[in-house]
């Protein structure tokens, strides 16, 4: 058979021949057919088909690799370093106003009266507000994020063994460069996978926790406004232009509402007498939107709705699919959520949702930039020493990151779901 181009391990042959040379071994038949190269008439690489005598020379080597950038780039990235995998986030409850003490009022007629201090007047029965030394402390809320996700990726570099496969140093360098680009692509893909999982968990978590106003079923909202009973499929086809105007106007309305301080659109831990208020300025709002639907919109009715009068969102990213490229608009996730039942002993702690959230059409997610974060604790590359005997070394990429979802920040999920039958 033809000489194989695979390198052969010759240690057995070397030992056998050496033993016969130095007299320590008797003369024996030794198979050298796999180790000696003779003048073959046909190289394993093939030959040209005119004279059928000349070997084919590789004229150019193309390295088929392109840099890849991870999606879901709108997610905030922070770096707490390797010394801690725990983050605490402190917010403050809104406090109610206090009764005025600088005037006599219907509530406290004894605020300003000769001989009065800050107590009730036993003669007239009128009352006064407490003194200026009344303590009015801030009411903080501490939310803790902990844990890390770790993985590694390795690539082995052979110092000299592969050079014989290339006709020039430039071709070999191009190969090595392409190999490293593909390593980077893998790392970007790993990051995107976890960032995608973070967004999917948040969508499903917001849906499960069901805070008032945080989930908008656009199909139901459209039918309610116009007293119709169209299905999602009809709104995305027959009545597309009318629905698009409604969708963009609705999105803009909710974007405006998020700029006001309110207890809507986020989970607020219960505390008697106090409210956790949030507001999200326009520049802090971010939007993931289902891109195939927007492509259809631009192709059909772009001149009539895609202008600043209807939609002007700077911090947005089109998402080609949420979870599976085969069913791009759907999600099916069992998320991590917060126990919101104040009578439960686990109130305020992280739990797994009882059921998976299955949605067939997720259209958009509008959220505060502080709602989703990735904490990169370790992102490093280290190379092993060269293996002296086999002449290779391996570069190891080590990643440790925390993926943070804060349900106390504003978020609105836009879906299109037909009424269940």
């Amino acid at each position: 058979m033809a000489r194989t181009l695979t390198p052969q391990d010759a240690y057995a042959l070397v030992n056998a021949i050496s033993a016969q040379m130095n007299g320590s071994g008797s003369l024996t038949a030794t198979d050298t057919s796999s180790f000696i190269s003779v003048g073959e008439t046909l190289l394993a690489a093939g030959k040209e088909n005119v004279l059928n005598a000349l070997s084919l020379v590789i004229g150019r080597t193309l390295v088929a690799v392109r840099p890849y950038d991870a999606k879901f780039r709108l997610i905030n990235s922070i770096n707490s370093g390797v010394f801690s995998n725990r983050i605490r986030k402190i917010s403050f409850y809104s406090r109610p106003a206090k009764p005025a003490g600088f005037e006599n009022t219907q509530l406290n007629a004894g605020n300003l009266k000769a001989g009065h201090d800050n107590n009730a007047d036993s003669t007239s029965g009128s009352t006064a507000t407490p003194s200026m030394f009344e303590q009015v402390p801030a009411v903080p809320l501490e939310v803790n994020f902990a844990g890390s996700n770790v993985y590694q990726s390795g690539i082995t570099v052979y110092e000299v063994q592969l050079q014989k496969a290339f006709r020039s140093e430039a071709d070999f360098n191009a190969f090595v460069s392409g190999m490293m680009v593909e390593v980077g692509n893998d790392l970007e893909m790993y990051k995107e996978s976890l960032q995608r999982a973070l967004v999917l968990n948040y969508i499903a978590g917001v849906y499960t926790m069901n805070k008032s106003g945080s989930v908008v079923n656009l199909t139901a909202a459209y039918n309610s406004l116009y007293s119709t009973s169209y299905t999602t499929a009809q709104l995305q086809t027959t009545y597309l232009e009318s629905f698009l105007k409604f969708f963009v106007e609705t999105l803009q309305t909710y974007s405006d509402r998020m700029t006001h301080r309110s207890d809507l659109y986020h989970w607020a831990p219960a505390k008697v007498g106090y409210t956790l208020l949030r507001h999200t300025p326009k520049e802090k709002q971010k939007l993931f939107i289902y891109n195939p639907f927007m492509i259809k919109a631009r192709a059909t009715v772009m001149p009539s709705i895609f202008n600043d009068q209807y939609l002007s969102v700077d911090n947005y990213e089109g998402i080609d699919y949420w979870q599976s490229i085969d069913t791009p608009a759907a999600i099916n996730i069992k998320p991590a959520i917060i126990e919101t039942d104040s009578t439960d002993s686990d109130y305020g702690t992280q739990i797994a949702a009882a059921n998976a959230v299955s949605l067939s059409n997720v259209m958009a997610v509008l959220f505060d930039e502080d709602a989703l974060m990735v904490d990169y604790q370790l992102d490093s590359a280290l190379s092993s020493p060269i293996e002296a005997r086999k002449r290779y070394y391996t570069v190891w990429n080590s990643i440790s990151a925390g993926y943070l979802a804060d349900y106390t920040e504003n978020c609105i999920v836009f879906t299109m779901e037909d009424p269940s039958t």
Side-chain angles (χ1 to χ4, degrees), residues 158-236:
Y158 297 96
E159 192 180 33
V160 296
Q161 293 90 332
L162 299 179
Q163 294 180 10
K164 62 176 69 70
F166 301 91
R167 71 171 192 170
S168 68
E169 183 178 0
D171 282 353
F172 177 70
N173 288 341
F175 171 80
V176 174
S177 177
M179 184 174 66
M180 292 305 180
V181 169
E182 187 61 19
V183 171
N185 288 347
D186 286 341
L187 291 173
E188 286 292 296
M189 184 181 67
Y190 302 155
K191 291 178 181 179
E192 178 185 325
S193 297
L194 291 174
Q195 288 170 185
R196 187 182 295 273
L198 173 62
V199 173
L200 291 172
N201 184 93
Y202 202 65
I203 293 172
V206 168
Y207 192 91
T208 300
M209 294 172 69
N210 197 28
K211 172 64 179 179
S212 176
S214 288
V215 179
V216 179
N217 184 342
L218 294 166
T219 302
Y222 181 97
N223 286 329
S224 176
L225 179 64
Y226 294 108
S227 299
T228 56
S229 56
Y230 299 140
T231 65
T232 295
Q234 288 175 308
L235 291 177
Q236 292 186 359

Side-chain angles (χ1 to χ4, degrees), residues 40-110:
E40 297 181 271
T41 59
L42 178 63
L43 289 177
K47 61 181 179 181
E48 47 81 30
N49 61 3
V50 178
L51 300 177
N52 293 307
L54 303 178
S55 64
L56 297 176
V57 177
I58 299 175
R60 183 178 180 185
T61 299
L62 298 178
V63 181
V65 62
R66 297 169 181 166
Y68 180 76
D69 294 323
K71 311 299 182 185
F72 295 92
R73 61 186 180 275
L74 293 184
I75 299 175
N76 274 355
S77 294
I78 59 176
N79 190 340
S80 65
V82 296
F83 294 101
S84 173
N85 63 354
R86 189 177 183 89
I87 295 173
R88 67 175 181 175
K89 181 177 179 180
I90 298 176
S91 304
F92 295 92
Y93 284 95
S94 175
R95 297 169 299 163
K98 293 285 188 178
F102 60 89
E103 295 280 3
N104 288 329
T105 67
Q106 84 282 8
L107 298 178
N108 295 297

